[in-house]
Amino acid sequence: MLVRAEATLGAVLLLSGCSGAATAADVTALASWAASAEMVAEAWAAGTVPRAYGTRAVRTVHHGLKDRRRHLRRHPVGVDIDEALGRLDRAVADLSDAIERGERGRAASTRTRLQAEARTLRAIAGRLEARS
Amino acid sequence: VKKVLEIALGVVTSIGGFLEAGSLATSAQAGAAFGFRLLWAIALGTLCLIFLVEMSGRLAAVSHHTIASAMRERFGFDFFVVPLVTVALVSLLTLAAELGGVCVALQLATGVSFPWFVLPVLVVVWAVLWRGSFGQIEKGVSLLGLVTLAFLVAVFRLDPPLGEVAAGLVPSLPEHDAGRYWLLAVSILGASLTPYLFYFYSSGAIEDRWDDSHLTVNRSVAVGGMSFGGVLAAAVLVVAATVFLPRGVRVESYEQLALLLTDAFGAWGFWLFVAAFGIACLGAVLEITLAVAYLIAQGFGWNWGENVAPRDAARFAATYTLALVVAALPVATGVDPLRLTNLSMVLSAVTLPVATLPFLVLMNDRKYVPGHANGRLGNAVVLVVVVLACVLAVVSLPLELVGGG
């Protein structure tokens, strides 16, 4: 009873799925974080956002990815996404470093990698959704 | 001329004061996840709000009662304590979310964590409430809030497909993520119809000493101000649908939301968003704090009024001080303001019947509104939307759990 109540509260708080079967939603959320990082990279490279925002936004992306991965570890998706997530992690770390050092050109090239990983994750989410 | 100016100022301040963290976040989340498809929820919520705001102004102008004092008098304290506690709790949660919004705006601008801003923001808000008059607070912040018109300008600059936008005004079933779709619809309705809005409006009308001669002003402000305000909320949804949906970004944090205007305005877009968001939330903080204090003071029959010196309404001043401190606690401890916002909007929808149904009874009681009781249309719209929002909220929660949105 208590577990169910906690789950309900969690759903309200997160406005996102907490069910064990919600793996496609988890992968979609990972793709969303990848796309968010891409937007931050684009904005930072174009000089439309300040460095303080860029640094914090990348940190938020990092936390968002970590939370979703923790959930995915408890409810495996049945397809190998570790490789894509590894590449995504490296791209996010590179973006963070580029912003820290003020290297806009490097941020622009990281953007392309983030875009590719977001696309890969969206395709995996699509396959999972079709399967369910 | 004076009347026209009064109407114009009322409409302008309503537009400037319409957007706050709740309507901004839920509209953007809806646009990012479902494109234009949830525009109907904003239209429905705005329509119901127009009726509710008009009713609360009419009650104040005709009966010289606020909603809270009339309810207490009509139903007795034992009954009134239920809406009193419900509205006060939901409003406190909404206040925490809006306070968090102001702090997040400062975080976006500086990079410093939002909990650090709680104390300075609290002091500024408290000082404004302590020193300011109702007119200064209402008109000052609302006029500054006109910066939220940037969302409407962004729509024109982004040039979305107008046919698809118009189609979003017709309710439709979702193609995916049914639980999330309905929960967002409920959150939008909750954000549009947060009870503090019309409770605050009736108290404001008494503060401004409205009488029968203000009925035209009231109707014009309710229809004009709320309609344009609804257009602003719709603009946020349209911009989010144009900017976030094609990229596959679903809004789970305010950092994501901060990029809402950069496509339309470039480097200005970020700062416009920060200003619009911060000012909108600050305005809401001031209004909700006053609304909670009005509700409790009127409920217990204390002296109240923002135009009264604090020493002459000490318990009223103590209540808004305490409300601010209580609402600051979750923000100071680092609870995510966006989660607070989502939670408060859903709870606002769930509790709508408790806040509005006794009010509807009042508006049909000829003792309170002689010659100005509700028509059938007003009763029907409010009743249907309020019950719909509550039922949808109760049904969509398990749907969201099962569907895993």
Side-chain angles (χ1 to χ4, degrees):
Chain A
M1 191 68 187
L2 184 65
V3 172
R4 201 175 296 168
E6 276 178 5
T8 308
L9 183 64
V12 182
L13 287 173
L14 286 169
L15 256 181
S16 62
C18 284
S19 131
T23 46
D26 281 323
V27 181
T28 305
L30 287 168
S32 159
W33 284 117
S36 303
E38 185 220 327
M39 274 190 88
V40 174
E42 183 186 6
W44 164 252
T48 53
V49 292
R51 182 186 295 190
Y53 164 77
T55 309
R56 185 160 281 280
V58 175
R59 208 180 303 156
T60 303
V61 167
H62 180 72
H63 287 312
L65 287 171
K66 209 165 95 180
D67 282 352
R68 285 291 170 174
R69 287 179 81 160
R70 200 178 304 137
H71 192 250
L72 265 178
R73 240 175 258 132
R74 287 201 301 270
H75 308 284
V77 289
V79 294
D80 189 18
I81 61 165
D82 286 349
E83 208 179 307
L85 288 179
R87 285 194 304 266
L88 177 58
D89 281 344
R90 283 193 293 279
V92 171
D94 277 355
L95 176 61
S96 173
D97 197 47
I99 294 175
E100 195 91 354
R101 292 166 188 265
E103 297 171 353
R104 294 193 194 276
R106 196 168 142 215
S109 67
T110 311
R111 185 197 158 199
T112 320
R113 287 160 57 200
L114 290 163
Q115 202 172 24
E117 297 317 327
R119 213 177 298 132
T120 306
L121 288 167
R122 268 200 297 273
I124 294 172
R127 284 208 300 277
L128 286 168
E129 221 160 71
R131 199 199 284 173
S132 66
Chain B
V1 175
K2 195 185 164 206
K3 213 66 161 175
V4 173
L5 277 174
E6 202 172 357
I7 290 172
L9 188 62
V11 172
V12 167
T13 51
S14 300
I15 298 167
F18 191 91
L19 277 189
E20 28 72 52
S23 52
L24 224 149
T26 54
S27 298
Q29 285 176 321
F34 297 100
F36 311 119
R37 297 189 68 148
L38 276 163
L39 274 173
W40 64 266
I42 294 179
L44 196 62
T46 306
L47 177 69
C48 189
L49 182 64
I50 289 171
F51 278 102
L52 282 169
V53 164
E54 191 280 328
M55 284 176 203
S56 56
R58 180 158 34 102
L59 175 76
V62 176
S63 74
H64 307 291
H65 279 75
T66 64
I67 298 176
S69 63
M71 253 192 219
R72 179 177 181 241
E73 188 181 276
R74 169 74 169 73
F75 301 104
F77 187 78
D78 287 349
F79 176 89
F80 175 63
V81 76
V82 178
L84 171 74
V85 171
T86 310
V87 175
L89 287 178
V90 173
S91 299
L92 276 175
L93 194 61
T94 313
L95 177 58
E98 302 293 341
L99 194 60
V102 181
C103 298
V104 165
L106 292 166
Q107 171 182 290
L108 290 171
T110 61
V112 177
S113 284
F114 70 85
W116 288 103
F117 292 106
V118 174
L119 192 60
V121 170
L122 213 62
V123 170
V124 169
V125 169
W126 183 82
V128 170
L129 290 173
W130 189 264
R131 306 279 304 176
S133 68
F134 182 81
Q136 287 166 341
I137 291 170
E138 187 200 25
K139 294 182 177 70
V141 181
S142 296
L143 287 174
L144 284 175
L146 288 176
V147 69
T148 54
L149 285 170
F151 292 107
L152 195 58
V153 179
V155 171
F156 290 104
R157 293 183 81 130
L158 293 170
D159 194 23
L162 288 181
E164 285 177 39
V165 173
L169 291 167
V170 181
S172 58
L173 292 174
E175 287 159 357
H176 60 93
D177 298 344
R180 189 174 168 80
Y181 178 87
W182 291 114
L183 202 56
L184 278 170
V186 164
S187 302
I188 289 173
L189 288 174
S192 308
L193 302 171
T194 321
Y196 87 82
L197 277 172
F198 40 97
Y199 278 70
F200 175 81
Y201 190 82
S202 74
S203 300
I206 297 293
E207 292 260 31
D208 284 341
R209 300 178 190 284
W210 278 16
D211 54 29
D212 283 14
S213 69
H214 286 85
L215 287 173
T216 311
V217 177
N218 175 49
R219 202 168 302 129
S220 310
V221 170
V223 176
M226 298 304 136
S227 303
F228 278 118
V231 168
L232 278 185
V236 173
L237 186 148
V238 170
V239 173
T242 313
V243 172
F244 292 141
L245 184 68
R247 291 172 161 111
V249 173
R250 292 173 73 160
V251 178
E252 290 181 58
S253 84
Y254 280 125
E255 267 80 16
Q256 292 166 301
L257 212 52
L259 297 176
L260 196 57
L261 294 175
T262 47
D263 276 10
F265 297 106
W268 278 98
F270 176 80
W271 293 108
L272 270 175
F273 177 85
V274 171
F277 184 61
I279 291 170
C281 292
L282 180 65
V285 166
L286 289 163
E287 286 190 2
I288 301 171
T289 310
L290 278 179
V292 171
Y294 283 143
L295 179 70
I296 293 174
Q298 291 159 12
F300 285 96
W302 301 337
N303 268 358
W304 62 275
E306 186 55 15
N307 294 331
V308 179
R311 66 172 173 276
D312 296 327
R315 283 178 291 191
F316 173 73
T319 306
Y320 66 63
T321 306
L322 189 64
L324 276 173
V325 172
V326 171
L329 291 177
V331 187
T333 51
V335 176
D336 180 2
L338 185 57
R339 291 184 182 184
L340 274 177
T341 304
N342 286 331
L343 178 63
S344 62
M345 295 306 113
V346 174
L347 285 181
S348 163
V350 173
T351 56
L352 264 177
V354 180
T356 51
L357 295 185
F359 174 42
L360 266 194
V361 174
L362 273 179
M363 293 309 297
N364 286 278
D365 188 333
R366 286 173 205 287
K367 192 184 138 206
Y368 284 91
V369 275
H372 296 281
N374 272 1
R376 280 185 191 163
L377 182 67
N379 283 333
V381 169
V382 172
L383 201 62
V384 168
V385 177
V386 162
V387 172
L388 182 77
C390 180
V391 171
L392 276 180
V394 173
V395 173
S396 63
L397 278 176
L399 253 180
E400 168 68 1
L401 264 177
V402 175

